[in-house]
Amino acid sequence: MGTSITSWENVSAYFTFADNPMALVLFAVGVVGIVGGLIGSIVKHENEAFEAHK
Protein backbone atom coordinates (compact mmCIF):
# COMPACT_ATOMS: atom_id res chain seq x y z
CA MET A 1 0.00 0.00 0.00
CA GLY A 2 2.97 2.35 -0.11
CA THR A 3 1.83 3.99 -3.36
CA SER A 4 0.72 7.58 -3.74
CA ILE A 5 -0.65 9.69 -6.56
CA THR A 6 2.10 11.67 -8.23
CA SER A 7 0.21 12.90 -11.31
CA TRP A 8 -3.42 13.66 -12.21
CA GLU A 9 -2.89 12.83 -15.90
CA ASN A 10 -5.30 10.22 -17.33
CA VAL A 11 -7.47 10.26 -14.20
CA SER A 12 -11.08 9.57 -15.21
CA ALA A 13 -12.67 10.74 -11.94
CA TYR A 14 -11.58 12.16 -8.62
CA PHE A 15 -13.51 13.60 -5.72
CA THR A 16 -12.40 16.81 -4.07
CA PHE A 17 -14.52 16.15 -0.97
CA ALA A 18 -12.83 12.88 0.00
CA ASP A 19 -11.29 14.50 3.08
CA ASN A 20 -14.62 15.90 4.31
CA PRO A 21 -16.62 13.32 6.32
CA MET A 22 -19.83 15.37 6.26
CA ALA A 23 -19.80 15.53 2.45
CA LEU A 24 -19.25 11.79 2.26
CA VAL A 25 -22.16 11.18 4.65
CA LEU A 26 -24.44 13.45 2.62
CA PHE A 27 -23.37 11.70 -0.58
CA ALA A 28 -24.07 8.27 0.98
CA VAL A 29 -27.47 9.41 2.31
CA GLY A 30 -28.34 10.75 -1.14
CA VAL A 31 -27.42 7.47 -2.78
CA VAL A 32 -29.47 5.51 -0.23
CA GLY A 33 -32.42 7.83 -0.87
CA ILE A 34 -32.21 7.43 -4.64
CA VAL A 35 -31.88 3.64 -4.47
CA GLY A 36 -34.67 3.39 -1.87
CA GLY A 37 -36.96 5.55 -4.01
CA LEU A 38 -36.19 3.46 -7.07
CA ILE A 39 -36.93 0.21 -5.27
CA GLY A 40 -40.15 1.67 -3.80
CA SER A 41 -41.27 2.82 -7.23
CA ILE A 42 -40.57 -0.61 -8.73
CA VAL A 43 -42.48 -2.39 -5.95
CA LYS A 44 -45.47 -0.05 -6.37
CA HIS A 45 -45.53 -0.58 -10.12
CA GLU A 46 -45.24 -4.35 -9.82
CA ASN A 47 -48.04 -4.51 -7.23
CA GLU A 48 -50.34 -2.42 -9.43
CA ALA A 49 -49.52 -4.50 -12.50
CA PHE A 50 -50.16 -7.73 -10.58
CA GLU A 51 -53.55 -6.46 -9.34
CA ALA A 52 -54.64 -5.80 -12.94
CA HIS A 53 -54.01 -9.45 -13.86
CA LYS A 54 -55.81 -11.16 -10.97
Side-chain angles (χ1 to χ4, degrees):
M1 286 281 178
T3 62
S4 64
I5 298 172
T6 58
S7 172
W8 289 105
E9 292 181 30
N10 299 323
V11 174
S12 59
Y14 64 93
F15 302 95
T16 58
F17 57 83
D19 63 343
N20 186 347
M22 183 55 96
L24 293 175
V25 168
L26 290 175
F27 182 78
V29 168
V31 169
V32 168
I34 290 169
V35 171
L38 179 62
I39 291 172
S41 174
I42 291 169
V43 168
K44 179 181 174 191
H45 169 73
E46 289 296 321
N47 288 337
E48 290 173 357
F50 184 71
E51 286 294 323
H53 290 14
K54 275 190 171 180

